[in-house]
């Protein structure tokens, strides 16, 4: 049953039976059509100026459970599952545009507008940060403030991945391959594949408790083709879009906050300088948290987002 943008059910009715998840108390679950044949699942709570929070890989909206509860005290907080992830629709990849960040950014804008928000702040982590970055370039009159957590823009990401150090991003190369082999390999042992990143990238394993980890693995297991398609787009059409913006001199015109681990030092590049080329109004922060910083250090991330919302 489609739940239209202005109708909703309590979040507890959305959570699958048998789970112990109790996150997003007081939030409502929506299903909103954002494109032909594509409906996004989102949870919405709080009141005040709107902010949309986009999850990363290999996660769902659940990664924002702590930060969303904090921000909802004085903001309207919208946490969707991206196209191809979680409880959102997973259209078949017809060409590179199906999961381009341009398409996924348009989904997010359509979602927010269907919920009554013509302009909004946007924060993304990992894959969600790449969608947020594209939304900022494509929709500068819509995105009021922008935060990107623990990524580089696509062009810069591929530029710094060189030599043996690039093995830390082996999954980027695997999922860049043409359709067929990567889907088959990952589907052969999805829990081992997705679980590898959940274990490798976290500094505090307690930040992702067993029920949340299970929810992530269940969601990823059911979305192998669309997750691969998302990554494949970042080795193709997303590069084309970024190159066109770079050649045209386009930059992010809104205030931007970037939070990253210090992997720029580890891989031999200046992360802040890379970001500043795209975002003149930049606040760049290095965190000691692990990659899953919204779960490992939610108070730090909420504080950074609150500061951004005042800029």
């Amino acid at each position: 049953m489609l739940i239209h943008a202005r109708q909703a059910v309590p979040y507890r009715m959305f959570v699958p039976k048998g789970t112990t998840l109790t996150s997003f108390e007081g939030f409502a679950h929506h299903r909103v059509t954002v494109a032909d044949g594509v409906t996004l699942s989102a949870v919405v709570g709080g009141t005040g100026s709107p902010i949309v929070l986009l999850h990363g890989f290999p996660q769902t909206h659940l990664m924002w459970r702590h930060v969303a509860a904090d921000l909802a005290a004085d903001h309207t907080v919208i946490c969707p599952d991206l196209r191809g992830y979680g409880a959102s629709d997973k259209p078949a990849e017809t060409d590179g545009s199906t999961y381009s960040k341009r398409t996924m950014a348009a989904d997010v804008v359509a979602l927010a507008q269907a919920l009554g928000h013509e302009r909004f702040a946007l924060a993304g982590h990992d894959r969600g940060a790449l969608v947020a970055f594209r939304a900022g370039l494509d929709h500068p009159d819509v995105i009021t403030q922008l935060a990107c957590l623990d990524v580089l823009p696509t062009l810069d990401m591929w530029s710094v991945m060189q030599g043996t150090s690039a093995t830390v991003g082996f999954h980027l190369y695997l999922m860049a391959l043409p359709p067929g082999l990567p889907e088959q390999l990952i589907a052969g042992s999805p829990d081992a594949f997705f679980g590898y990143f959940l274990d490798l990238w976290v500094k505090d394993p307690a930040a992702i408790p067993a029920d949340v980890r299970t929810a992530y693995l269940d969601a990823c297991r059911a979305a192998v083709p669309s997750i691969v398609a998302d990554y494949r787009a970042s080795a193709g059409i997303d590069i084309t879009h970024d190159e066109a913006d770079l050649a045209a001199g386009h930059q992010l015109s809104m205030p931007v906050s970037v939070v990253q681990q210090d992997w720029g030092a580890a891989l031999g590049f200046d992360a802040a300088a890379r970001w500043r080329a795209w975002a003149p109004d930049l606040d760049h922060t290095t965190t000691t948290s692990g990659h899953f910083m919204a779960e490992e250090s939610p108070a730090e991330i909420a504080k950074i987002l609150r500061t951004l919302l005042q800029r």
Side-chain angles (χ1 to χ4, degrees), residues 89-109:
D89 285 353
K90 304 167 183 65
E93 178 188 18
T94 56
D95 56 38
S97 67
T98 307
Y99 286 93
S100 74
K101 303 309 150 298
R102 173 160 288 163
T103 297
M104 296 171 79
D107 287 348
V108 173
V109 171

Side-chain angles (χ1 to χ4, degrees), residues 87 99 122-123 157 176 223 234 243 252 259 289:
Y99 286 93
L122 181 60
M157 175 188 71
S234 287
E243 286 176 337
L252 296 164
V259 189
S289 176

Side-chain angles (χ1 to χ4, degrees), residues 25-39:
E25 185 67 30
F27 279 60
H29 173 241
H30 296 252
R31 291 198 65 86
V32 181
T33 299
V34 296
D36 288 343
V38 179
T39 299

Side-chain angles (χ1 to χ4, degrees), residues 32-115:
V32 181
T33 299
V34 296
D36 288 343
V38 179
T39 299
L40 295 191
S41 172
V43 298
V44 183
T47 57
S49 62
I51 181 169
V52 178
L53 306 177
L54 305 180
H55 67 85
F57 164 92
Q59 299 164 293
T60 67
H61 71 280
L62 277 173
M63 65 154 283
W64 291 109
R65 59 196 180 278
H66 305 305
V67 173
D70 184 317
L71 296 179
D74 44 20
H75 294 280
T76 299
V77 182
I78 303 167
C79 301
D81 287 336
L82 294 167
R83 170 190 292 236
Y85 289 81
S88 289
D89 285 353
K90 304 167 183 65
E93 178 188 18
T94 56
D95 56 38
S97 67
T98 307
Y99 286 93
S100 74
K101 303 309 150 298
R102 173 160 288 163
T103 297
M104 296 171 79
D107 287 348
V108 173
V109 171
L111 169 69
Q113 292 179 342
L115 291 167

